[in-house]
Amino acid sequence: MSQGRIARRFAALAREGRAGLVTFVTAGDPDAATAAAILDRLPAAGADVIELGMPFSDPMADGPAVQAAGLRALKAGQTMIRTLDLVRGFRVREQETPIVLMGYFNPILQYGVDRFCVDASAAGVDGLIIVDLPPEEAEPLAVPAAANGIDLIRLVAPTTPEARMPKVMAGASGFIYAVAITGVTGTASAAQGAVAELVARVRRHTDLPVVVGFGINTPAQAAATAAVADGIAVGSAIVRQVEMAIDSKGHVSPDVGDRLIGFVGQLAAGVRSAARVVA
């Protein structure tokens, strides 16, 4: 395991004996200034790791809430350069909370893979989750990412066959992202029995921390999942707080940040209240 910010954070969580809260927000949603202000407040609200969505016009794994967030950000002028600037600004003020960029390979390819990895590392990015890049085709990104100290985080789905697990784990770093449901984000709730079985299956193939995401929408669900996983990722339910702060004329309420941060605080309290049933 690398000794970057992600490894240090999960080692600290293990010493505390609790799971971590991984919060997803979309870069530039609903606009650049508000997104930057929200990002700055997430660590104090209880975010242990921040996933930052890279807006993309043709997502394949995002449900309605995350798709809408991406479109809002693109309409507000968000670009890859602005996303890296957002991280760079955050790092001026906060050095410890890991940031993982999540999205699709096409925008990285358009930016230039080698240039992207150099710029992302310089900005303060710690990891990448690229949902449409299978292990067999990951080398063009994996090599420059590793050379620049960026973890390439792999996803495992409930439908991933046992025989494929070693191939998925090969070259993975940071943590393993276990997708709790079949389908896109935010459209169903994860069944706790199935989540526990999936986490146990992943642990048989890796010593990396296991973070469960997709299908976790409430503080109670976060707490239940925190009992069996090393981290809980919540996305759609968080970005939906932005959606609820926009009126019928498209105006964003001034309390959008307070609304979102308040919800993250509830999730964090749920995660911290969970009694671990696995080491």
Side-chain angles (χ1 to χ4, degrees):
M1 184 183 296
S2 68
Q3 295 302 310
R5 266 186 287 257
I6 294 174
R8 294 200 300 272
R9 178 53 51 96
F10 278 100
L13 290 168
R15 289 194 296 273
E16 293 178 33
R18 69 173 179 88
L21 175 62
V22 182
T23 59
F24 175 97
V25 293
T26 298
D29 178 37
D31 56 68
T34 305
I38 288 172
L39 201 63
D40 283 348
R41 296 174 66 185
L42 284 173
D48 296 298
V49 177
I50 296 172
E51 277 181 28
L52 190 59
M54 298 179 284
F56 181 48
S57 59
D58 299 298
M60 58 184 284
D62 298 342
V66 177
Q67 283 191 34
L71 292 176
R72 284 193 299 269
L74 290 171
K75 186 177 180 181
Q78 191 68 15
T79 63
M80 184 67 83
I81 289 174
R82 289 187 177 187
T83 295
L84 296 181
D85 284 345
L86 179 62
V87 178
R88 189 176 294 107
F90 175 80
R91 279 283 170 254
V92 170
R93 298 176 288 275
E94 220 283 355
Q95 287 293 317
E96 294 304 318
T97 303
I99 288 191
V100 176
L101 295 184
M102 185 171 188
Y104 300 87
F105 191 51
N106 184 286
I108 295 174
L109 199 60
Q110 292 297 316
Y111 190 95
V113 176
D114 290 343
R115 175 188 168 214
F116 171 80
C117 290
V118 169
D119 290 355
S121 178
V125 171
D126 303 293
L128 298 172
I129 302 173
I130 309 301
V131 298
D132 59 348
L133 191 63
E136 292 85 350
E137 300 177 19
E139 185 174 341
L141 177 61
V143 171
N148 286 280
I150 298 175
D151 290 318
L152 190 57
I153 293 151
R154 296 280 172 77
L155 294 104
V156 172
T159 53
T160 302
E162 196 77 21
R164 183 169 168 73
M165 287 282 192
K167 184 178 287 292
V168 175
M169 304 305 169
S173 60
F175 57 85
I176 300 296
Y177 195 119
V179 176
I181 60 172
T182 55
V184 297
T185 61
T187 55
S189 293
Q192 290 305 316
V195 168
E197 192 278 334
L198 176 61
V199 171
R201 213 154 57 86
V202 173
R203 289 196 198 283
R204 288 198 288 270
H205 295 275
T206 183
D207 292 328
L208 290 172
V210 182
V211 172
V212 175
F214 288 41
I216 301 170
N217 299 299
T218 69
Q221 290 172 338
T225 307
V228 298
D230 301 302
I232 296 86
V234 182
S236 294
I238 293 176
V239 300
R240 203 172 288 128
Q241 303 301 313
V242 177
E243 188 173 274
M244 291 189 293
I246 300 175
D247 66 21
S248 60
K249 295 182 179 178
H251 299 145
V252 181
S253 171
D255 73 347
V256 60
D258 293 339
R259 178 195 293 265
L260 189 150
I261 291 299
F263 182 66
V264 169
Q266 294 173 35
L267 292 169
V271 168
R272 284 163 172 73
S273 71
R276 304 300 305 277
V277 297
V278 293

